[in-house]
Amino acid sequence: MTAGIPTDAADNSVQANIVSVGYGGSTGTTGTLAAGSEISLRATTSCCTADYIRHQNNAAVLSAITSSSAALDKGDATWIVRRGLANSSCYSFESRNYPGDFLRHYNYQLYRQPMVGTAQFRQDATFCASTGKSGTGTSFASYNYPTRYLRHYNYNVYIASDGGSNAFDSATSWTDDVSWAVTAPWAP
């Protein structure tokens, strides 16, 4: 327990610690994989170069977003980059429209869910970046399933392996489907 009002120096120190770990809102930086930056993730597969990861009814989906899209859709396709919740050298993606909610896989599918603070949630919401498997863009491996990458398949988003028993693990177009362009955010 404490008594009294903290000094300005104590308040400033606490705020500096919060900002130093990448929490506390956007930095105003856009389009880069830097903690606090706002981004959108665009598909690089030839069928879908106008499509972005967004959340809709809590599920991560791939949708066409344009300058004439509704503000809500643009916001749903905008993510705040955070240091990985399970590993600070990786990334977590916080919803711009729902602060405190993160992209998280569950049963291999991605959803927007509120941060609950468990080790399992932190692992499920952490993705490690590498050069795009197609040779362009960036690919994101699941922290707790490192052979599975963020992939769009039938306009849903999964963590998928290159071949496997699930339809979304299909080797067809896998390298393209797991490669993403990190772009400036759609939300203003």
Side-chain angles (χ1 to χ4, degrees):
M1 298 300 289
T2 60
I5 299 172
T7 65
D8 285 343
D11 280 345
N12 291 339
S13 178
V14 168
Q15 182 62 31
N17 286 336
I18 291 168
V19 170
S20 75
V21 296
Y23 298 105
S26 171
T27 62
T29 305
T30 63
T32 64
L33 282 176
S37 176
E38 291 190 0
I39 64 166
S40 289
L41 293 170
R42 182 177 55 80
T44 63
T45 310
S46 61
C47 67
C48 311
T49 58
D51 295 346
Y52 293 79
I53 295 178
R54 64 165 295 187
H55 54 85
Q56 188 173 43
N57 299 321
N58 298 328
V61 298
L62 200 66
S63 291
I65 304 291
T66 67
S67 58
S68 61
S69 293
L72 177 65
D73 295 340
K74 290 177 183 178
D76 286 349
T78 298
W79 305 95
I80 302 170
V81 177
R82 300 294 183 204
R83 290 185 181 152
L85 298 173
N87 180 328
S88 63
S89 64
C90 298
Y91 302 98
S92 293
F93 302 105
E94 183 178 8
S95 168
R96 180 155 188 273
N97 280 353
Y98 292 85
D101 285 14
F102 287 82
L103 270 183
R104 181 238 180 134
H105 69 81
Y106 178 78
N107 201 24
Y108 304 119
Q109 190 165 1
L110 263 72
Y111 298 93
R112 173 192 52 83
Q113 293 186 334
M115 165 57 143
V116 295
T118 65
Q120 185 68 58
F121 184 97
R122 290 173 183 280
Q123 292 173 15
D124 292 349
T126 299
F127 305 93
C128 302
S130 63
T131 300
K133 295 295 183 185
S134 68
T136 186
T138 305
S139 290
F140 296 95
S142 166
Y143 174 76
N144 50 352
Y145 293 93
T147 62
R148 292 183 167 275
Y149 289 78
L150 288 184
R151 181 190 193 171
H152 66 89
Y153 185 83
N154 286 341
Y155 298 97
N156 290 299
V157 184
Y158 301 91
I159 56 168
S161 62
D162 188 3
S165 60
N166 301 299
F168 57 81
D169 290 325
S170 169
T172 304
S173 300
W174 187 83
T175 59
D176 292 331
D177 294 350
V178 300
S179 298
W180 301 92
V182 176
T183 69
W186 272 106

